[in-house]
């Protein structure tokens, strides 16, 4: 619900449990409050500017002090605000000073569309959008700040549209999407890492000055994820305040926290300004991607579950999101590049014998690719390995009652490829400057329409010809030498945003053409794990690290924002190919169960016992997938000895608990795992024993001692209905 008191200049955005209060002071909109729902009685000075010399009414001659402290909802540069700004637009005279004054607002029932961008949708849900119109007369720039409320969620979606209403082009140099202000002591949570170590949680105190994370490598990146949370020092999983910002975008981004001299913290998120500018012609608009704001008064767990529900209901469009995903086996860790059709069909026969549903042919099936030095761009069957072609292979696999999935890395081009020989100019490169190789490849210039058309055609032909049910869309290198000859010199900084819009355009076209396709995004493991990608694919490959102990940690970090059912997770061979560690085969399955679940190992090397174990594991997957897909997710424990989590059915009638002993530490008291999300008065049964929900949540579930490292238990408790 949106309440506006125009006379007092107060705007209140209410979700079920939260309130955001904005205020108009002296023609500028400030953020007075965002947090737990409160009732507002009479008041005028929400924005805490009633201390001299900050009141514009009282001291009209002291505007700079006002701007330097005022919590502008969309802070602009040049009039006295020396904290981080959200907006800079260079005008004809070279100045990028703007003064965005409030000129009005509107409320819409329909959510405004953001052309070409991933965005939350409102299907099956009432929504309201508040649009604040902020105007700079001199530059002729109008900023529309949009906040959308959803009846079924605490999440507020914020985005910004900039219009050039003047007579001259303006050069947008910084267009962030969201800015929040919070009071009091806070800590910042970020998800950081690198390849094979994605989304490890860092929590640190927010001190004076600016703390910034982001990406300028073309993707949202392995290094920092486009999600941040601010929490109170005392906040835990189950208690305390937590605020979140998640970016619905997959390219370069910035997220920052700045504590100012009045101890107010400003959180910001948006397109990274270092690698961005955009020439906006008169009459044209620019749309900044959406940020999903969220607040929980009761801990981080609740913040996460709010995001999970929102992503499932308002971001992921794929019809697969509510379906049990086929249990697949992927050829990558099974064979890497070393396979041919005969081997693949043998693999398919074994997959069928293990009771699996789909075979995914990963890297190496195209051009003349024998290793990672060639053929990206040549999306036709590798004649050496598959002489009969993809249509034949598709038929053979389907004859064995398996679905067929395939890997592409569409955004790339190998110097050793037919495509490069024909179109060297399609690779991203700067004329006159040597290009920098990564994994022996260059990036294709997706800002060019002809490149996008070519890629779509290649992919569509293979998908059609081989009757492909699943596509893994990979992206294995970062962008360097960002440049496109299709833009003039002064517009080169449009490259990165145009590139990612190109990725979105092809994925959209694919999904329109093949509405049943199960798309999985991937970027060298989890280098593009964000809400932008989830708008197109219901799942993303979480990390190339499939070691069960590491994976459990990576998935826990990822779950701060993203629902488990969208985390690509496979059971691989031991010793693990990346860490060399051995973990129990069942532990690997228990970790993969909290994701999409599948296999990535050479099935032909399995013992009979392991084949039986696979049958057992897939039966467990089928038995509990309603919980891992549709249940609520709780993080229970994470320390050097244990990681534990829990799924609870929406009706709270059953729960699935996973405990992983990462490292055994002998002679400890029996683990009593405190569960969450149960009905305190109800009884839950496990192995013939009864526990009340209250008992399980306060005293905990006694867990049988485990022996070894990397071992686990999966415990399923169901409610006992009184006779
Ligand atoms: C990336 C992916 C892997 C695999 C390889 C193939 O690293 O994350 O899963 O597909 O590429 O080259």
């Amino acid at each position: 619900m949106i309440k506006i008191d125009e006379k007092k200049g107060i705007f209140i955005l209410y979700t079920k449990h939260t309130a955001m209060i904005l205020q108009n002071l002296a023609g500028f909109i400030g953020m007075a409050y965002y947090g737990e729902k409160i009732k507002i009685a009479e008041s005028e000075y929400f924005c805490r500017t009633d201390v001299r010399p900050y009141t514009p009414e009282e001291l009209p001659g002291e505007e700079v002090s006002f701007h330097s402290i005022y919590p502008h909802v969309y802070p602009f540069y040049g009039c006295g605000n020396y904290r981080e700004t959200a907006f800079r637009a260079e005008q004809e005279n070279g100045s990028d000073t703007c003064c965005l004054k409030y000129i009005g607002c509107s409320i819409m029932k329909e959510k405004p569309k953001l052309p070409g961008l991933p965005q939350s949708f409102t299907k099956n849900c009432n929504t309201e959008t508040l649009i604040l119109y902020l105007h700079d007369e001199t530059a002729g720039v109008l900023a529309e700040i949009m906040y959308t409320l959803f009846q079924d969620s605490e999440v507020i979606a914020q985005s910004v549209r900039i219009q050039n209403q003047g007579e001259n082009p303006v050069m947008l140099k910084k267009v962030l999407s969201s800015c929040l202000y919070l009071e009091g002591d806070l800590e910042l949570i970020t998800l950081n890492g690198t390849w094979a170590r994605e989304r490890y949680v860092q929590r640190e105190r927010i001190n004076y000055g600016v703390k910034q994370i982001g990406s300028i490598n073309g993707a949202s990146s392995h290094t920092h994820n486009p999600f941040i949370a601010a929490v109170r020092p005392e906040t835990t999983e189950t208690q305390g305040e937590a605020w979140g910002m998640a970016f619905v975008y997959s390219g370069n981004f910035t997220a920052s926290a700045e504590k100012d001299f009045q101890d107010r913290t400003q959180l910001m998120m948006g397109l990274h300004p270092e690698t961005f500018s955009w020439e906006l012609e008169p009459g044209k608009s620019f749309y900044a991607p959406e940020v999903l704001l969220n607040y929980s008064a009761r801990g981080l767990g609740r913040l996460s579950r709010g995001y999970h529900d929102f992503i499932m209901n308002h971001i992921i469009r794929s019809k697969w999101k509510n379906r049990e995903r086929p249990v697949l086996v992927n050829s990558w860790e099974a064979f890497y590049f070393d396979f041919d059709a005969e081997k693949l069909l043998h693999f398919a026969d074994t997959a069928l014998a293990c009771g699996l549903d789909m075979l995914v042919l990963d890297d190496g099936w195209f051009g003349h690719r024998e290793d990672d030095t060639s053929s990206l761009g040549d999306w036709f069957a590798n004649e050496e390995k598959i002489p009969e072609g993809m249509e034949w292979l598709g038929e053979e696999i389907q004859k064995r009652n398996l679905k067929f999935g395939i890997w592409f890395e569409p955004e790339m081009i190998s110097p050793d490829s037919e495509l490069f020989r024909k179109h060297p100019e399609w690779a991203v490169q700067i004329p006159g400057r040597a290009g920098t190789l990564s994994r022996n490849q260059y990036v294709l210039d997706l800002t060019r329409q002809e490149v996008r058309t070519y890629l779509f055609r290649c992919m569509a032909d293979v998908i059609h010809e081989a009757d492909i049910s699943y596509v893994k869309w990979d992206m294995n290198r970062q962008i360097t030498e960002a440049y496109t000859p299709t833009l003039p010199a002064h517009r080169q900084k449009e490259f990165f945003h145009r590139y990612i819009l190109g990725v979105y355009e092809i994925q959209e076209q694919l999904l329109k053409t093949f509405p049943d396709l199960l798309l999985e995004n991937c970027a060298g493991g989890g280098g593009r794990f964000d809400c932008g990608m989830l708008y197109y694919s219901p799942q993303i490959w979480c990390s190339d690290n499939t070691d069960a102990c590491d994976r459990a940690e990576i998935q826990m970090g990822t779950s701060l924002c993203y629902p488990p059912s969208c985390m690509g997770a496979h059971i691989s061979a031991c010793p693990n190919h990346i860490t060399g560690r051995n973990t129990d085969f069942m532990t690997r399955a228990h970790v993969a169960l909290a994701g999409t679940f599948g296999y990535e190992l050479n099935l032909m090397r399995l013992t009979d016992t392991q084949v039986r174990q696979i049958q057992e594991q897939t039966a467990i997957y089928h038995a509990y997938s309603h919980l891992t897909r549709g249940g609520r997710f709780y993080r229970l424990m994470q320390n050097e000895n244990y990681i534990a989590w829990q799924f609870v059915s929406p009706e709270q009638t059953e729960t699935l608990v996973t405990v992983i002993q990462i490292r055994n530490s002998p002679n400890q008291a029996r683990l009593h795992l405190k569960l969450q999300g149960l009905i305190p008065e109800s009884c839950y049964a496990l192995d013939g024993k009864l526990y009340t929900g209250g008992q399980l949540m306060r005293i905990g579930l006694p867990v049988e001692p485990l022996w070894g490292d990397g071992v686990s238990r999966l415990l399923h408790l169901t409610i006992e209905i009184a006779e």
Side-chain angles (χ1 to χ4, degrees), residues 206-224:
I206 300 179
N207 286 316
Y208 296 116
V210 183
K211 162 80 193 185
Q212 189 258 346
I213 58 151
S215 164
I216 52 168
N217 76 15
S220 50
S221 91
H222 299 84
T223 323
H224 303 294

Side-chain angles (χ1 to χ4, degrees), residues 195 198 222 330 332-333 336-337 362-364 366 369 372 376 407-409 439 441 472 474-476 520 522-527 541-545 570 600:
W195 173 77
E198 295 90 340
H222 299 84
N330 178 299
W332 181 239
E333 287 195 28
Y336 296 101
F337 296 103
D362 209 278
D363 198 349
F366 49 90
R369 192 147 163 110
D372 64 12
L376 293 167
W407 178 96
F408 285 99
E409 197 181 351
R439 211 189 188 210
Q441 63 202 52
K472 176 172 166 191
D474 207 346
M475 194 271 192
N476 274 325
E520 173 161 328
C522 171
W541 183 231
C542 206
S543 173
D544 277 349
N545 188 343
H570 296 167
E600 185 150 343

Side-chain angles (χ1 to χ4, degrees), residues 90-92 139-142 161-172 278-286 490-491:
E90 191 179 289
Q91 298 131 61
E92 264 232 307
V141 163
L142 179 74
R161 174 186 180 197
I162 306 294
Q163 276 186 59
N164 183 355
Q165 299 184 331
E167 315 221 305
N168 299 308
V170 288
M171 188 59 90
L172 302 177
W278 196 271
E279 186 177 54
L280 198 61
E281 294 288 335
K284 293 277 192 242
S285 291
F286 178 82
H490 70 289
R491 289 178 55 196

